[in-house]
Amino acid sequence: MSRYLRLLAVFVVLLCAVLAGFNALIDPYGYFDPPKISGVNELPLGFNHRPLLAKSLAVSELRPATIILGNSRAEAAYDPQHPGIALQPAYNLSIGGAGLSMLRRYFLEALATGGLRQVILALDLTMFDPAANAANPGLDAVLLTDAEGKPASEARKWQRLAFVLFSGSTSSDSWWSYMHQRKPVAIYTRSGLREEAYDIAQVAREGGPRRASLRVEASFLAGTLRDVESEKFRASYATTLAALREILDLSAKRGVHVTLIINPIHARQTYTLAAAGLWPLYEVWKGDLLATAQRAPKLVSLWDFSGVSSCTAENLPADAAAQSAMRWYRESSHFRRVLGNRVLDRVFGRPDDGVCRGLGQQLETATLVTALAAQRGALRHWVETHAVDVAEIEGLAKQYGRISRAH
């Protein structure tokens, strides 16, 4: 029996060694940086399956001076290597579908590394939806800080490392990453940026930008920001705004500069908000963001790129033109990196070639009312000149029972 137990122990040790070696070699989350072998481990494709874990590992390793926080729009459009971002290393810590509560946790994680000096926080009204801010207990397994930003126990670090080396989940991700090295899947750079080529190809597979736009607009109207006059929503909104205040207050206390960016959503998406009856909330939200930013005016700035302008009003190709990629957008919900670069150019005062006329402005208390009025006027003009787009969006709003609140 003792010989059997020894053999079993040796087998278990060997199995663990094989698992650890395989997972460290394939390195699906880009953490160990082994020698790269073409077709084997060049691309850390585990980001496709476990971005929460992969990005937390990256923050611990990189200790970034600048982080970009946001949802899927920011994840693919804002490049940490943009020449305006002088404080390096920089990392795109944006996560698809993230609300402010999740971004708060990742901000605290980055802050705890000790190197953080600048935050670029890309905002959308959808990030204040209660569903986007539901509790995510899985964060406690991947982050090295707790919900208050304090370091978790030393055991957490070893538990996370053990998961990355020995777990069946990681082994599955390693195998998937190995098998897809030469297949079309989403790729993340070492700076956390999601490459857009796969997503653009996906839009083409869905039938082109117009059909893809209708899909994302229908998804929004079906379930996002409904019942915004309810007590439940008001309570959630207040809690989410408090999370933003905490980010700004802690940043100010540590001397971290924060740039708040309201993303350059497409004019169709802007009108979708209006068709859903959300325009009053939209303007209140911008006022609340500005009031929150004013808590530390020397360290926090607020930029609004969401108004209708020459580039955000880019015409969608005809339905039949499935392969006709747009210049500035993938579809009406996601803007491309070329537009994200223009946004960062404006924020960091880089030269402007004038192609995107009217793109963005810094919001200030003295000019907020005028800015909001100008945005309403620009949207009215777009509605008057885009009858097909308006009809499509209003048809969807009616289908999902929201058009009655539009006007």
Side-chain angles (χ1 to χ4, degrees), residues 39-40 43 45 49 173-185 187:
V40 176
L43 306 172
L45 302 182
H49 290 173
D173 289 348
S174 292
W175 181 252
W176 189 89
S177 183
Y178 167 69
M179 293 299 295
H180 286 78
Q181 288 291 307
R182 291 191 171 93
K183 294 182 180 180
V185 297
I187 296 171

Side-chain angles (χ1 to χ4, degrees), residues 97-102 125-136 223-240 281:
L100 254 296
S101 60
M102 180 180 290
L125 182 59
T126 56
M127 294 166 67
F128 281 65
D129 185 275
N133 292 286
N136 189 330
T224 306
L225 294 169
R226 300 188 77 104
D227 303 318
V228 296
E229 297 176 0
S230 68
E231 287 300 323
K232 179 181 179 181
F233 175 81
R234 291 192 183 101
S236 175
Y237 181 89
T239 300
T240 306
L281 173 64

Side-chain angles (χ1 to χ4, degrees), residues 23-77:
N23 289 329
L25 173 65
I26 302 301
D27 194 22
Y29 314 124
Y31 183 60
F32 296 107
D33 197 24
K36 301 303 179 187
I37 304 172
S38 177
V40 176
N41 64 354
E42 280 187 305
L43 306 172
L45 302 182
F47 276 80
N48 289 270
H49 290 173
R50 255 167 278 277
L52 300 182
L53 171 61
K55 292 209 166 185
S56 70
L57 289 167
V59 167
S60 300
E61 181 69 15
L62 188 63
R63 299 179 67 246
T66 298
I67 56 172
I68 299 171
L69 292 170
N71 55 21
S72 61
R73 291 168 177 163
E75 186 179 42

Side-chain angles (χ1 to χ4, degrees), residues 48-329:
N48 289 270
H49 290 173
R50 255 167 278 277
L52 300 182
L53 171 61
K55 292 209 166 185
S56 70
L57 289 167
V59 167
S60 300
E61 181 69 15
L62 188 63
R63 299 179 67 246
T66 298
I67 56 172
I68 299 171
L69 292 170
N71 55 21
S72 61
R73 291 168 177 163
E75 186 179 42
Y78 295 132
D79 187 354
Q81 304 306 310
H82 184 277
I85 301 178
L87 294 172
Q88 295 287 337
Y91 191 78
N92 191 317
L93 196 46
S94 305
I95 296 171
L100 254 296
S101 60
M102 180 180 290
L103 298 183
R104 169 190 168 274
R105 290 292 305 272
Y106 277 85
F107 161 76
L108 294 174
E109 187 83 350
L111 191 65
T113 66
L116 191 62
R117 295 293 176 266
Q118 178 176 240
V119 175
I120 300 168
L121 177 52
L123 297 165
D124 293 299
L125 182 59
T126 56
M127 294 166 67
F128 281 65
D129 185 275
N133 292 286
N136 189 330
L139 293 179
D140 291 332
V142 301
L143 298 179
L144 300 183
T145 52
D146 61 19
E148 304 305 317
K150 298 177 181 177
S153 65
E154 187 68 19
R156 174 79 61 82
K157 182 186 299 183
W158 295 107
Q159 289 168 356
R160 190 176 70 171
L161 181 60
F163 181 90
V164 171
L165 285 173
F166 302 115
S167 73
S169 297
T170 299
S171 299
S172 175
D173 289 348
S174 292
W175 181 252
W176 189 89
S177 183
Y178 167 69
M179 293 299 295
H180 286 78
Q181 288 291 307
R182 291 191 171 93
K183 294 182 180 180
V185 297
I187 296 171
Y188 288 78
T189 69
R190 291 186 64 82
S191 61
L193 179 71
R194 180 182 171 104
E195 292 286 0
E196 61 182 14
Y198 173 80
D199 296 307
I200 292 172
Q202 179 63 31
V203 167
R205 289 191 292 270
E206 291 178 6
R210 185 171 293 276
R211 290 184 182 178
S213 296
L214 287 168
R215 177 184 58 79
V216 296
E217 290 152 8
S219 177
F220 174 89
L221 290 165
T224 306
L225 294 169
R226 300 188 77 104
D227 303 318
V228 296
E229 297 176 0
S230 68
E231 287 300 323
K232 179 181 179 181
F233 175 81
R234 291 192 183 101
S236 175
Y237 181 89
T239 300
T240 306
L241 197 60
L244 177 60
R245 292 193 192 102
E246 182 180 358
I247 291 173
L248 299 188
D249 289 347
L250 283 173
S251 296
K253 185 177 180 180
R254 302 284 187 90
V256 176
H257 286 78
V258 180
T259 301
L260 302 176
I261 295 175
I262 302 176
N263 284 320
I265 59 175
H266 192 273
R268 280 182 64 108
Q269 198 75 17
T270 303
Y271 186 65
T272 300
L273 291 170
L278 294 170
W279 199 263
L281 173 64
Y282 197 39
E283 293 196 347
V284 167
W285 174 69
K286 290 184 178 183
D288 288 340
L289 293 182
L290 182 57
T292 304
Q294 290 300 309
R295 295 164 69 90
K298 293 183 178 180
L299 290 172
V300 181
S301 60
L302 172 62
W303 290 78
D304 185 2
F305 292 88
S306 66
V308 178
S309 62
S310 61
C311 289
T312 64
E314 178 182 11
N315 290 326
L316 273 64
D319 194 322
Q323 303 302 319
S324 298
M326 300 171 68
R327 179 179 182 183
W328 305 110
Y329 288 83

